[in-house]
Amino acid sequence: VRSGSYLSVAMAKFPWAFSNLQRRLVQVGERTGALVQVLNRLSLYEERQMDMTLKIRSSMTMPLLVCGLCIILVIFVPPFLFQGLFQMLQDNHGTLPWPTKVLITFSDMLRSWGFYVALVVAICGLIAFLYKAQRDRVIRKKIMQVALKIPAIGKTIRLIAVTRFLQSLETMIRVGLPIMVCIEMAGASADNPVLEDSLKGAIEGVKQGDEIHVALRATDFFPVTVIHSVQVGEQSGKLSDMLESL
């Protein structure tokens, strides 16, 4: 910036620190002469995003801890706790039912070093797969498609993506970007490849003259309440205010 570059150009040199959405909004502020107003809107947007992220993390911490504790108590503790009982059953040389045989075999497996070596290898493989999936959009989309079909988890993932999209859309509309650019960038900021791809059809619909709520309804991703709210906002001419209330 001191050497004469625009702020947006300087931000583009640090993609790890500034997102594409932030750079585009700053660029719009520079071109329109409303950089201060754009930065104020951007700061409010980032605060809302951070607040939502913290709420999601705090709400997921306790369920994950409980699930982890249950796995430890149900799977790893019994083989060591009932080791003496299993040994006594085997010493009787009687015919054991197959569930008991399976439990004894599983208990012996958990007490062997080979199991833990295999467990470490499996965990490392899972971490490597997730690392690759984070950077491979095709894999991320397939994982997201499966996750969205899971009854409880899918609803939460969909709600998070819709919330991020609406917050981004409201910010960019207030800044003054064209509506098709707003939808495209808001879809990218939602961090959900399924939603992002479905919005391509919505953008085409808007290009052909469809109203925004009609185009969003065609994606079959948004809840009915969101569609109705967007429709009311369009009809009243206060779309950005309606999006902010959502």
Side-chain angles (χ1 to χ4, degrees):
V1 174
R2 288 180 177 177
S3 63
S5 298
Y6 286 105
L7 177 59
S8 58
V9 176
M11 292 170 64
K13 297 179 180 179
F14 303 93
W16 53 270
F18 303 101
S19 65
N20 184 51
L21 172 64
Q22 294 170 340
R23 297 194 299 269
R24 290 286 294 274
L25 292 180
V26 170
Q27 186 178 32
V28 171
E30 291 172 335
R31 291 179 178 178
T32 59
L35 183 58
V36 175
Q37 291 83 349
V38 170
L39 291 176
N40 286 332
R41 295 303 310 176
L42 186 57
S43 65
L44 292 175
Y45 166 76
E46 293 296 339
E47 288 175 1
R48 293 171 65 185
Q49 290 287 311
M50 180 60 67
D51 184 60
M52 184 179 67
T53 301
L54 293 176
K55 287 181 179 179
I56 294 172
R57 289 179 180 177
S58 62
S59 64
M60 292 297 294
T61 300
M62 186 56 66
L64 290 176
L65 288 177
V66 172
C67 289
L69 182 60
C70 290
I71 291 174
I72 294 175
L73 293 177
V74 174
I75 297 180
F76 292 99
V77 173
F80 298 94
L81 185 63
F82 302 124
Q83 182 179 0
L85 176 61
F86 294 153
Q87 187 64 42
M88 183 183 67
L89 292 175
Q90 289 177 313
D91 293 340
N92 288 334
H93 303 290
T95 302
L96 300 175
W98 69 265
T100 305
K101 293 181 180 180
V102 171
L103 184 59
I104 292 176
T105 303
F106 182 70
S107 173
D108 294 338
M109 182 180 66
L110 286 182
R111 290 197 301 272
S112 65
W113 285 105
F115 170 79
Y116 293 100
V117 172
L119 182 62
V120 171
V121 172
I123 292 175
C124 292
L126 179 61
I127 294 174
F129 173 77
L130 294 176
Y131 181 82
K132 181 180 179 181
Q134 187 66 24
R135 287 156 178 77
D136 192 322
R137 192 177 185 281
V138 176
I139 298 178
R140 285 182 61 232
K141 183 178 179 181
K142 291 181 179 180
I143 294 176
M144 193 63 66
Q145 287 174 335
V146 174
L148 287 171
K149 295 178 181 178
I150 302 176
I153 299 177
K155 184 178 180 181
T156 302
I157 294 175
R158 186 182 300 270
L159 179 61
I160 293 172
V162 170
T163 302
R164 286 176 174 170
F165 171 81
L166 295 177
Q167 290 180 353
S168 302
L169 184 62
E170 179 261 333
T171 299
M172 285 179 283
I173 289 176
R174 289 189 184 277
V175 169
L177 289 172
I179 188 61
M180 288 178 291
V181 177
C182 292
I183 295 175
E184 180 183 1
M185 293 181 62
S189 67
D191 196 25
N192 188 308
V194 177
L195 173 59
E196 186 177 356
D197 288 349
S198 65
L199 287 171
K200 294 179 181 178
I203 295 173
E204 290 298 324
V206 174
K207 286 182 180 179
Q208 296 174 7
D210 292 342
E211 293 181 315
I212 300 175
H213 73 276
V214 175
L216 294 181
R217 182 185 291 119
T219 63
D220 197 27
F221 194 94
F222 296 89
V224 178
T225 53
V226 172
I227 300 299
H228 290 334
S229 298
V230 172
Q231 182 179 7
V232 172
E234 286 183 289
Q235 293 174 351
S236 62
K238 298 180 179 180
L239 180 59
S240 56
D241 293 335
M242 183 61 68
L243 292 175
E244 185 178 10
S245 66
L246 292 174

